[in-house]
Amino acid sequence: MKSAWRFMVVCMLALLADETFAYRPFDSTDAGVADEGEFELEFGPLGYLREGGDKFLVAPATVLNLGIGHDREVVLESALLNPIDHSASGSGSILDDTMLTLKQVLRRGSLQDGSGVSVAAECGVLLPGTNGVNGTGGICTGIVSQRWDAATVHLNGGIEFTREHNWERSLGIIVEGSDKWKVRPVIELLTQRDNAGSDLSSELVGAIWRAHENLSFDFGLRSGRIDGEPLFEVRAGLTWAVQLWR
């Protein structure tokens, strides 16, 4: 009964939300921010990740966005990795990908109903996790987005000071189908490399379904290689927003 009430509350809040654009299921992001007073939840209740011989259930993956005005938003994100077998982790679940960032739109463009490219920067701190994901670091990403009638493209270039105190650079690109379509196909290409020689390259294919103008669901399959080992991931989730104040 409690689960049913929670589901009803989520649906009611979603119907009260302003228009939402999902940027799940990607690793990269877009050059847009939530409106002032708008709280946006990107939620992946259950996913699957295989890195080499290690297998995890990702439950949950969460991104919280709060618009604070002046084309800015605060972002808090994390993922909980639950090993499917004990060889993946001798100490149980791993809290990973935890970070707190501030995103600022630097140029208002097509994503803000203007013309030309939208430009933003997102910078912040990597927070400590659990079970081996220790330490802190920093991250800063530049983002350029362009929306046309037929497609939308987002280009990300970032630099990170990792929790292991290595410098890592990354490049990501997202291509989406027309924003006018109820279901739009998406792809993402991502590459990362640090000065210790660790590297990652991956490709994601999926789709975003706008079930309501305020509520979107997403699904993606990601494959690639990390430090020479095979990488495979299944992602599924939703995005919705609530206007907390105006």
Side-chain angles (χ1 to χ4, degrees), residues 130-147:
T130 62
N131 294 333
V133 185
N134 303 316
T136 59
I139 187 170
C140 198
T141 303
I143 311 146
V144 177
S145 298
Q146 175 68 58
R147 177 175 292 152

Side-chain angles (χ1 to χ4, degrees), residues 59-74:
T62 307
V63 181
L64 309 177
N65 307 278
L66 179 64
I68 58 174
H70 304 286
D71 288 330
R72 298 187 190 111
E73 71 176 9
V74 176

Side-chain angles (χ1 to χ4, degrees), residues 76-95:
L76 177 64
E77 57 186 282
S78 67
L80 188 64
L81 308 182
N82 303 280
I84 293 176
D85 56 64
H86 292 293
S87 65
S89 172
S91 305
S93 298
I94 302 169
L95 183 63

Side-chain angles (χ1 to χ4, degrees), residues 25 43 126 143 168 180 205 218 230:
F43 184 65
L126 307 179
I143 311 146
E168 178 180 274
K180 298 177 181 179
V205 295
D218 62 83

Side-chain angles (χ1 to χ4, degrees), residues 87-104:
S87 65
S89 172
S91 305
S93 298
I94 302 169
L95 183 63
D96 197 6
D97 296 332
T98 304
M99 65 183 76
L100 178 65
T101 58
L102 176 70
K103 187 194 287 188
Q104 171 73 62

Side-chain angles (χ1 to χ4, degrees), residues 1-11:
M1 179 65 72
K2 289 182 179 180
S3 297
W5 275 107
R6 291 192 191 102
F7 179 76
M8 290 175 63
V9 169
V10 167
C11 292

